[in-house]
Amino acid sequence: MPTFSYTALKNNKDIVKGKIDALDARSARDAIKKMGLLPTKISDDSVKESNSKASEKKNIRVKNISAFSLKDKIEFTQTLQILTSTGIPIIETLVFLENNAQAKPIRSIAHELRRNIIVGGLTLAETLERHRKIFGRVYVGLVKAGEDSGELDKTLTRMLELLKKQDDIKSKVIGALIYPIFVILLACVVVTVMLVFVFPAFKEMFDNLGRELPLMTQICMSLGLFIRKFWFIPIIAIVFLVLAVKHILSNDVTKRPVDAFLLKVPLLSELLRFSNYSNFLAVLQVAYEAGIPIVDCLYLANMTLDNLVLKDAIFQATSRVQQGTHLSVALRASNQIPSMMTFMIATGEQSGRLGELLHHCTTFIDQRLDGIIDKFTKLVEPAMLIFIGGIVLFLALSLYMPLFAAYG
């Protein structure tokens, strides 16, 4: 009779490990349940031994899984949280996702996770670690903390709230930026059409006027003729510019001065700061409530920061905390954290209610972010109208000034 190793929860809290003899995995699971335990992992020792060398050699290869979006991660986590909270084992939960999830990436990743757990005898966190590029270090770290503490369902609930919040922040920031981006692209299209088709059509008329053209008209006319003759050069320039920007933003050395500059731009700096702080504090709160040590909480939360200047500041604060400095003092010394945040964190440390105060901090930052996005939207709209109006005025004057001068 095969021997199965198992990991189970006792009273939905304590982790229990052991071995049991059974005909198959289902029989082993039923026997464990009769013992008053909730099985989270069951592996056949004979299968594990026979496949250990093959597993080391192949390292449980990861299939090419299509893009796993934030929406997919939310759906995956939501289903995982609902089923595990009702006492359904992880394997059966993954089987359900593999067979019933609507999105193909979710079905694919559920298949991979299930296969890794069964063949490799891994825990859920260890399996997610093999797919860290998909889930991220924060997700893996919080799931591991949930498994270690025996509160995986609660951790998944917090994780689900965190993912939904990140999706909400992402939607708000994109919504605030999409209008100015659309206006700029529209302005580029209008200018290109005017330069390529309209100004060259007036060339013969302007030549017959017998007068020297205004400087702005000469510039527009020359640009239009150049683009019509060498149309491929602007296309190459745009492609080169896009690749250059992508390279700059993907390299820490070149991205750091860009991030430092953006933090000095009025209003935009506030939008970037508070969107980063919102994710940082949300992860810090969830990790702290999951029982992770404060230094590890800071490392996990720091991974959510996109701005390298803020990331460096938090890293230095983490080093100070590791050396024994209070969290509020270390964050205040970074000179990058709002005073309200550091004050509330200091109050939480002194009163022993840090988790509660972190929650209040998160609420405060979210409210500030909503106000900044609203203010940004209200200021951008008239600025874009002035921008478009200035371009139209410039083109109109360039086109009609020679005619006004001729009939003047």
Side-chain angles (χ1 to χ4, degrees), residues 51-85:
N51 289 289
S52 59
K53 294 183 179 180
S55 297
E56 291 176 2
K57 183 177 181 180
K58 295 181 180 179
N59 197 24
I60 309 180
R61 294 180 300 168
V62 179
K63 292 182 178 179
N64 290 326
I65 298 174
S66 55
F68 201 72
S69 65
L70 183 57
K71 296 286 186 183
D72 292 335
K73 194 183 293 186
I74 290 174
E75 182 181 346
F76 174 85
T77 306
Q78 188 171 33
T79 305
L80 200 66
Q81 183 271 329
I82 292 173
L83 295 182
T84 53
S85 64

Side-chain angles (χ1 to χ4, degrees), residues 304-347:
T304 65
L305 297 176
D306 295 324
N307 189 283
L308 293 181
V309 175
L310 299 180
K311 186 182 285 286
D312 292 342
I314 298 300
F315 180 79
Q316 293 173 4
T318 304
S319 300
R320 296 190 186 99
V321 172
Q322 203 166 13
Q323 295 169 3
T325 306
H326 286 291
L327 175 60
S328 57
V329 176
L331 292 177
R332 188 181 298 114
S334 68
N335 295 322
Q336 294 289 350
I337 306 297
S339 57
M340 176 64 79
M341 281 177 55
T342 56
F343 176 75
M344 295 176 73
I345 291 174
T347 303

